[in-house]
Amino acid sequence: MTLIEGMRGHLEKARTAADEEFGWRRPWSGSTAREGVWSNIRSAEVILLQLVSDVEAAGRASEVMALVKRHLDIDDPRRVRLAQRIRPIISGDMKPGDRDLMTRALDAAYNALDDELARVRSLRNILWTATFLVLLGVTGLALYGWFSPGSLSLCFTPQNGPEAADRITVVCPTAEHHGVPAGTDSSRLAQPRDILTVEIAGLAGAALTVIASLRRIRGTDAPYMLPLASAVLKFPTGALTAFLGLLLIRGAFVPGLSDLDSRTQVLGWAAVFGAAQYLVTRLVDDRAQMTLSEVGRPTDAVVDPERVAVKEVLPAPAAGSPNGAGPHDEQDGGAHGKGDDGEPAPDGAPAHRRSGA
């Protein structure tokens, strides 16, 4: 397959992915197809760089360098070598290996971008799966409580004064029963709607935390609605924490709150426990924001013997400049000097890139 045929193949895949009709599957598959479109277009751009003239390749050198600096680590050998050659390339002093160096660096940068987007997609899928599983569990609890209300009773028996020693009050999430004979099992007075009512109150509490978390959400150009997935997870989690919180209170796990006095208190505590899910889901929010921030902003690589060796052979900054860095060189020594033996990269086709569809 020639380079031109390969480029046409990538463009055809991009066109097919862009024209595909997903129907009801668009919320799940539309963003993946969009990523496939751009991935194939980027692959075609890498091949195009091999086909253009030296003048056109030199004209794209600054753009390639910008992409490389955005997506490759500061001590990546391809980034180091391209930074070493960028000024001669821009000035028109193209050597035989410079085009191959630019091609491989651009291909590596696009591969890194694909990996960054893949991490966003993976976390998005994990969050939607977790939301579905928690929602399934909450729905199961509501159905179980509907058909067997006494098994998961959330009714409380407040302490009565001495004047009513033979009568008690039973407080449930949907009703209050006064003057009940002492010794009556409160579970027998549980209603089918009790657990569902508690979960709705928990949803209301979770909604407040979602509104409060909007101030921390930033927009993103990634084709995945990761902040939305993180926000939706809070609703079923709030319903679950509301039920578990009241269950712990009824089991006297919370000192001083073993007996709630009114239905309003029961629902109020359910809303509080629903909002308390933020203590757990905020960790998910932080992970989501960190994943989004990693797209297009690579951090310094961890200590790696091979990359450390690349940095150690870099020459000292040239005289005549505070740090010896030119307008297209790195400021920390990772983008000037020779990355290895100083010889241009051998001619050859770029590494095969993934082309999502």
Side-chain angles (χ1 to χ4, degrees), residues 187-237:
S187 298
R188 299 176 57 186
L189 299 177
Q191 301 297 313
R193 300 186 303 274
D194 284 352
I195 295 181
L196 179 60
T197 303
V198 167
E199 290 178 351
I200 292 175
L203 285 173
L208 291 177
T209 64
V210 172
I211 296 174
S213 65
L214 291 178
R215 62 183 178 85
R216 303 178 58 208
I217 293 180
R218 297 180 302 170
T220 175
D221 57 355
Y224 302 104
M225 296 183 290
L226 189 57
L228 176 63
S230 176
V232 172
L233 177 62
K234 290 179 170 56
F235 289 99
T237 305

Side-chain angles (χ1 to χ4, degrees), residues 22 31 133 205 230 236 296 310:
F22 295 97
S31 57
L133 293 177
S230 176
V310 171

Side-chain angles (χ1 to χ4, degrees), residues 74-75 80 306-315 332-334 339:
I74 197 171
D75 53 358
V80 172
E306 181 178 352
R307 291 184 173 181
V308 170
V310 171
K311 297 178 71 174
E312 287 177 349
V313 300
L314 297 179
D332 56 1

Side-chain angles (χ1 to χ4, degrees), residues 117-135:
L117 293 177
R119 287 194 293 271
V120 176
R121 181 180 69 250
S122 176
L123 182 56
R124 190 280 308 266
N125 293 341
I126 291 174
L127 291 180
W128 282 119
T129 302
T131 300
F132 174 76
L133 293 177
V134 176
L135 181 61

Side-chain angles (χ1 to χ4, degrees), residues 10-186:
H10 284 298
L11 294 177
E12 180 63 24
K13 291 179 181 179
R15 187 191 65 80
T16 302
D19 293 341
E20 185 174 356
E21 295 291 340
F22 295 97
W24 62 272
R25 296 183 295 113
R26 177 165 293 277
W28 294 271
S29 303
S31 57
T32 304
R34 179 182 169 189
E35 180 186 345
V37 170
W38 283 110
S39 179
N40 280 284
I41 291 177
R42 289 192 289 266
S43 297
E45 287 182 356
V46 172
I47 298 177
L48 181 62
L49 186 59
Q50 296 179 276
L51 300 175
V52 298
S53 64
D54 289 347
V55 176
E56 294 178 354
R60 290 203 58 191
S62 297
E63 177 186 350
V64 172
M65 190 67 221
L67 289 169
V68 168
K69 292 175 66 175
R70 185 176 182 184
H71 297 291
L72 294 185
D73 291 317
I74 197 171
D75 53 358
D76 188 285
R78 290 157 298 195
R79 174 174 171 175
V80 172
R81 295 189 65 187
L82 182 59
Q84 172 194 351
R85 289 292 306 159
I86 190 65
R87 283 185 293 179
I89 292 174
I90 293 177
S91 63
D93 185 17
M94 289 274 294
K95 290 185 177 181
D98 288 340
R99 182 192 297 270
D100 183 71
L101 174 62
M102 291 175 57
T103 302
R104 292 182 180 275
L106 180 63
D107 183 66
Y110 280 153
N111 276 330
L113 175 58
D114 288 342
D115 291 339
E116 294 162 6
L117 293 177
R119 287 194 293 271
V120 176
R121 181 180 69 250
S122 176
L123 182 56
R124 190 280 308 266
N125 293 341
I126 291 174
L127 291 180
W128 282 119
T129 302
T131 300
F132 174 76
L133 293 177
V134 176
L135 181 61
L136 189 63
V138 168
T139 304
L141 285 173
L143 291 176
Y144 185 80
W146 186 277
F147 293 104
S148 182
S151 301
L152 296 175
S153 174
L154 296 177
C155 296
F156 299 86
T157 306
Q159 296 293 334
N160 295 320
E163 67 280 358
D166 59 337
R167 296 288 176 176
I168 60 173
T169 298
V170 178
V171 177
C172 298
T174 57
E176 296 183 12
H177 305 276
H178 301 279
V180 178
T184 302
D185 185 5
S186 61

